[in-house]
PDB file of all heavy atoms in Angstrom:
ATOM      1  N   PRO A 105       2.924 -13.476  -8.742  1.00 91.00           N
ATOM      2  CA  PRO A 105       3.634 -14.481  -7.946  1.00 91.00           C
ATOM      3  C   PRO A 105       5.139 -14.216  -7.969  1.00 91.00           C
ATOM      4  O   PRO A 105       5.722 -14.003  -9.035  1.00 91.00           O
ATOM      5  CB  PRO A 105       3.275 -15.799  -8.641  1.00 91.00           C
ATOM      6  CG  PRO A 105       2.970 -15.412 -10.046  1.00 91.00           C
ATOM      7  CD  PRO A 105       2.399 -14.026 -10.002  1.00 91.00           C
ATOM      8  N   ILE A 106       5.739 -14.225  -6.798  1.00 90.00           N
ATOM      9  CA  ILE A 106       7.176 -13.980  -6.668  1.00 90.00           C
ATOM     10  C   ILE A 106       7.791 -15.118  -5.872  1.00 90.00           C
ATOM     11  O   ILE A 106       7.225 -15.593  -4.891  1.00 90.00           O
ATOM     12  CB  ILE A 106       7.439 -12.637  -5.944  1.00 90.00           C
ATOM     13  CG1 ILE A 106       6.943 -11.463  -6.778  1.00 90.00           C
ATOM     14  CG2 ILE A 106       8.914 -12.469  -5.626  1.00 90.00           C
ATOM     15  CD1 ILE A 106       7.754 -11.203  -8.017  1.00 90.00           C
ATOM     16  N   ARG A 107       8.979 -15.545  -6.295  1.00 90.00           N
ATOM     17  CA  ARG A 107       9.702 -16.578  -5.549  1.00 90.00           C
ATOM     18  C   ARG A 107      10.615 -15.919  -4.517  1.00 90.00           C
ATOM     19  O   ARG A 107      11.295 -14.935  -4.806  1.00 90.00           O
ATOM     20  CB  ARG A 107      10.530 -17.437  -6.494  1.00 90.00           C
ATOM     21  CG  ARG A 107       9.704 -18.430  -7.297  1.00 90.00           C
ATOM     22  CD  ARG A 107      10.591 -19.288  -8.174  1.00 90.00           C
ATOM     23  NE  ARG A 107      11.265 -18.492  -9.190  1.00 90.00           N
ATOM     24  CZ  ARG A 107      12.401 -18.835  -9.796  1.00 90.00           C
ATOM     25  NH1 ARG A 107      13.009 -19.951  -9.461  1.00 90.00           N
ATOM     26  NH2 ARG A 107      12.927 -18.072 -10.726  1.00 90.00           N
ATOM     27  N   PHE A 108      10.625 -16.478  -3.316  1.00 91.00           N
ATOM     28  CA  PHE A 108      11.467 -15.970  -2.239  1.00 91.00           C
ATOM     29  C   PHE A 108      12.346 -17.097  -1.696  1.00 91.00           C
ATOM     30  O   PHE A 108      11.919 -18.250  -1.592  1.00 91.00           O
ATOM     31  CB  PHE A 108      10.608 -15.433  -1.087  1.00 91.00           C
ATOM     32  CG  PHE A 108       9.800 -14.207  -1.439  1.00 91.00           C
ATOM     33  CD1 PHE A 108       8.502 -14.335  -1.922  1.00 91.00           C
ATOM     34  CD2 PHE A 108      10.330 -12.941  -1.279  1.00 91.00           C
ATOM     35  CE1 PHE A 108       7.752 -13.220  -2.236  1.00 91.00           C
ATOM     36  CE2 PHE A 108       9.578 -11.822  -1.597  1.00 91.00           C
ATOM     37  CZ  PHE A 108       8.294 -11.950  -2.072  1.00 91.00           C
ATOM     38  N   HIS A 109      13.570 -16.745  -1.308  1.00 90.00           N
ATOM     39  CA  HIS A 109      14.433 -17.679  -0.592  1.00 90.00           C
ATOM     40  C   HIS A 109      13.949 -17.824   0.844  1.00 90.00           C
ATOM     41  O   HIS A 109      13.476 -16.859   1.451  1.00 90.00           O
ATOM     42  CB  HIS A 109      15.871 -17.170  -0.557  1.00 90.00           C
ATOM     43  CG  HIS A 109      16.598 -17.269  -1.862  1.00 90.00           C
ATOM     44  ND1 HIS A 109      16.617 -18.415  -2.626  1.00 90.00           N
ATOM     45  CD2 HIS A 109      17.354 -16.368  -2.526  1.00 90.00           C
ATOM     46  CE1 HIS A 109      17.355 -18.211  -3.706  1.00 90.00           C
ATOM     47  NE2 HIS A 109      17.806 -16.977  -3.665  1.00 90.00           N
ATOM     48  N   THR A 110      14.063 -19.021   1.389  1.00 92.00           N
ATOM     49  CA  THR A 110      13.836 -19.228   2.812  1.00 92.00           C
ATOM     50  C   THR A 110      15.131 -19.714   3.451  1.00 92.00           C
ATOM     51  O   THR A 110      16.068 -20.129   2.754  1.00 92.00           O
ATOM     52  CB  THR A 110      12.721 -20.251   3.072  1.00 92.00           C
ATOM     53  OG1 THR A 110      13.157 -21.546   2.661  1.00 92.00           O
ATOM     54  CG2 THR A 110      11.451 -19.860   2.316  1.00 92.00           C
ATOM     55  N   ARG A 111      15.168 -19.666   4.768  1.00 92.00           N
ATOM     56  CA  ARG A 111      16.405 -20.005   5.470  1.00 92.00           C
ATOM     57  C   ARG A 111      16.755 -21.483   5.340  1.00 92.00           C
ATOM     58  O   ARG A 111      17.934 -21.846   5.205  1.00 92.00           O
ATOM     59  CB  ARG A 111      16.257 -19.620   6.949  1.00 92.00           C
ATOM     60  CG  ARG A 111      17.525 -19.776   7.785  1.00 92.00           C
ATOM     61  CD  ARG A 111      17.291 -19.277   9.206  1.00 92.00           C
ATOM     62  NE  ARG A 111      16.251 -20.049   9.893  1.00 92.00           N
ATOM     63  CZ  ARG A 111      15.753 -19.719  11.092  1.00 92.00           C
ATOM     64  NH1 ARG A 111      16.179 -18.617  11.710  1.00 92.00           N
ATOM     65  NH2 ARG A 111      14.819 -20.464  11.651  1.00 92.00           N
ATOM     66  N   GLU A 112      15.739 -22.349   5.342  1.00 85.00           N
ATOM     67  CA  GLU A 112      16.023 -23.783   5.407  1.00 85.00           C
ATOM     68  C   GLU A 112      15.268 -24.628   4.388  1.00 85.00           C
ATOM     69  O   GLU A 112      15.646 -25.763   4.121  1.00 85.00           O
ATOM     70  CB  GLU A 112      15.691 -24.305   6.815  1.00 85.00           C
ATOM     71  CG  GLU A 112      16.542 -23.668   7.902  1.00 85.00           C
ATOM     72  CD  GLU A 112      15.926 -23.830   9.292  1.00 85.00           C
ATOM     73  OE1 GLU A 112      14.796 -24.361   9.382  1.00 85.00           O
ATOM     74  OE2 GLU A 112      16.568 -23.416  10.269  1.00 85.00           O
ATOM     75  N   ASN A 113      14.206 -24.084   3.800  1.00 80.00           N
ATOM     76  CA  ASN A 113      13.325 -24.922   2.982  1.00 80.00           C
ATOM     77  C   ASN A 113      13.285 -24.523   1.511  1.00 80.00           C
ATOM     78  O   ASN A 113      12.259 -24.667   0.849  1.00 80.00           O
ATOM     79  CB  ASN A 113      11.909 -24.901   3.572  1.00 80.00           C
ATOM     80  CG  ASN A 113      11.863 -25.481   4.965  1.00 80.00           C
ATOM     81  OD1 ASN A 113      12.425 -26.540   5.209  1.00 80.00           O
ATOM     82  ND2 ASN A 113      11.231 -24.766   5.888  1.00 80.00           N
ATOM     83  N   GLY A 114      14.388 -24.029   0.989  1.00 86.00           N
ATOM     84  CA  GLY A 114      14.424 -23.695  -0.432  1.00 86.00           C
ATOM     85  C   GLY A 114      13.624 -22.454  -0.760  1.00 86.00           C
ATOM     86  O   GLY A 114      13.518 -21.529   0.046  1.00 86.00           O
ATOM     87  N   ASP A 115      13.037 -22.435  -1.963  1.00 90.00           N
ATOM     88  CA  ASP A 115      12.296 -21.268  -2.427  1.00 90.00           C
ATOM     89  C   ASP A 115      10.790 -21.479  -2.273  1.00 90.00           C
ATOM     90  O   ASP A 115      10.292 -22.597  -2.390  1.00 90.00           O
ATOM     91  CB  ASP A 115      12.606 -20.983  -3.901  1.00 90.00           C
ATOM     92  CG  ASP A 115      14.044 -20.536  -4.101  1.00 90.00           C
ATOM     93  OD1 ASP A 115      14.702 -20.189  -3.100  1.00 90.00           O
ATOM     94  OD2 ASP A 115      14.508 -20.542  -5.263  1.00 90.00           O
ATOM     95  N   LEU A 116      10.095 -20.369  -2.032  1.00 91.00           N
ATOM     96  CA  LEU A 116       8.637 -20.374  -1.973  1.00 91.00           C
ATOM     97  C   LEU A 116       8.108 -19.372  -2.986  1.00 91.00           C
ATOM     98  O   LEU A 116       8.666 -18.278  -3.127  1.00 91.00           O
ATOM     99  CB  LEU A 116       8.148 -19.955  -0.585  1.00 91.00           C
ATOM    100  CG  LEU A 116       8.242 -20.960   0.566  1.00 91.00           C
ATOM    101  CD1 LEU A 116       7.754 -20.294   1.848  1.00 91.00           C
ATOM    102  CD2 LEU A 116       7.411 -22.188   0.277  1.00 91.00           C
ATOM    103  N   THR A 117       7.038 -19.746  -3.693  1.00 91.00           N
ATOM    104  CA  THR A 117       6.361 -18.801  -4.572  1.00 91.00           C
ATOM    105  C   THR A 117       5.132 -18.282  -3.846  1.00 91.00           C
ATOM    106  O   THR A 117       4.258 -19.061  -3.452  1.00 91.00           O
ATOM    107  CB  THR A 117       5.954 -19.470  -5.894  1.00 91.00           C
ATOM    108  OG1 THR A 117       7.130 -19.923  -6.568  1.00 91.00           O
ATOM    109  CG2 THR A 117       5.218 -18.476  -6.792  1.00 91.00           C
ATOM    110  N   LEU A 118       5.075 -16.970  -3.649  1.00 94.00           N
ATOM    111  CA  LEU A 118       4.009 -16.354  -2.862  1.00 94.00           C
ATOM    112  C   LEU A 118       3.355 -15.234  -3.656  1.00 94.00           C
ATOM    113  O   LEU A 118       4.031 -14.501  -4.390  1.00 94.00           O
ATOM    114  CB  LEU A 118       4.579 -15.765  -1.564  1.00 94.00           C
ATOM    115  CG  LEU A 118       5.327 -16.737  -0.644  1.00 94.00           C
ATOM    116  CD1 LEU A 118       5.980 -15.977   0.504  1.00 94.00           C
ATOM    117  CD2 LEU A 118       4.385 -17.810  -0.120  1.00 94.00           C
ATOM    118  N   GLU A 119       2.033 -15.109  -3.511  1.00 94.00           N
ATOM    119  CA  GLU A 119       1.352 -13.959  -4.108  1.00 94.00           C
ATOM    120  C   GLU A 119       1.834 -12.695  -3.410  1.00 94.00           C
ATOM    121  O   GLU A 119       1.820 -12.605  -2.182  1.00 94.00           O
ATOM    122  CB  GLU A 119      -0.157 -14.089  -3.954  1.00 94.00           C
ATOM    123  CG  GLU A 119      -0.907 -12.904  -4.560  1.00 94.00           C
ATOM    124  CD  GLU A 119      -2.407 -12.992  -4.343  1.00 94.00           C
ATOM    125  OE1 GLU A 119      -3.029 -13.928  -4.870  1.00 94.00           O
ATOM    126  OE2 GLU A 119      -2.943 -12.113  -3.642  1.00 94.00           O
ATOM    127  N   THR A 120       2.251 -11.731  -4.198  1.00 93.00           N
ATOM    128  CA  THR A 120       2.902 -10.535  -3.659  1.00 93.00           C
ATOM    129  C   THR A 120       2.227  -9.280  -4.198  1.00 93.00           C
ATOM    130  O   THR A 120       1.956  -9.180  -5.393  1.00 93.00           O
ATOM    131  CB  THR A 120       4.397 -10.530  -4.045  1.00 93.00           C
ATOM    132  OG1 THR A 120       5.006 -11.741  -3.588  1.00 93.00           O
ATOM    133  CG2 THR A 120       5.117  -9.347  -3.442  1.00 93.00           C
ATOM    134  N   SER A 121       1.978  -8.356  -3.294  1.00 94.00           N
ATOM    135  CA  SER A 121       1.415  -7.061  -3.669  1.00 94.00           C
ATOM    136  C   SER A 121       2.546  -6.045  -3.739  1.00 94.00           C
ATOM    137  O   SER A 121       3.300  -5.883  -2.768  1.00 94.00           O
ATOM    138  CB  SER A 121       0.375  -6.619  -2.636  1.00 94.00           C
ATOM    139  OG  SER A 121       0.007  -5.269  -2.823  1.00 94.00           O
ATOM    140  N   VAL A 122       2.663  -5.384  -4.872  1.00 91.00           N
ATOM    141  CA  VAL A 122       3.790  -4.482  -5.116  1.00 91.00           C
ATOM    142  C   VAL A 122       3.319  -3.036  -5.203  1.00 91.00           C
ATOM    143  O   VAL A 122       2.309  -2.739  -5.852  1.00 91.00           O
ATOM    144  CB  VAL A 122       4.534  -4.864  -6.415  1.00 91.00           C
ATOM    145  CG1 VAL A 122       5.690  -3.907  -6.688  1.00 91.00           C
ATOM    146  CG2 VAL A 122       5.033  -6.302  -6.333  1.00 91.00           C
ATOM    147  N   THR A 123       4.046  -2.175  -4.536  1.00 92.00           N
ATOM    148  CA  THR A 123       3.880  -0.735  -4.683  1.00 92.00           C
ATOM    149  C   THR A 123       5.161  -0.181  -5.282  1.00 92.00           C
ATOM    150  O   THR A 123       6.256  -0.473  -4.781  1.00 92.00           O
ATOM    151  CB  THR A 123       3.602  -0.067  -3.327  1.00 92.00           C
ATOM    152  OG1 THR A 123       2.348  -0.524  -2.822  1.00 92.00           O
ATOM    153  CG2 THR A 123       3.554   1.449  -3.462  1.00 92.00           C
TER     154      THR A 123
END
Side-chain angles (χ1 to χ4, degrees):
I106 295 290
R107 285 182 295 156
F108 294 92
H109 287 311
T110 68
R111 186 176 62 188
E112 297 161 355
N113 297 313
D115 293 346
L116 284 178
T117 298
L118 303 173
E119 180 183 296
T120 304
S121 168
V122 179
T123 295

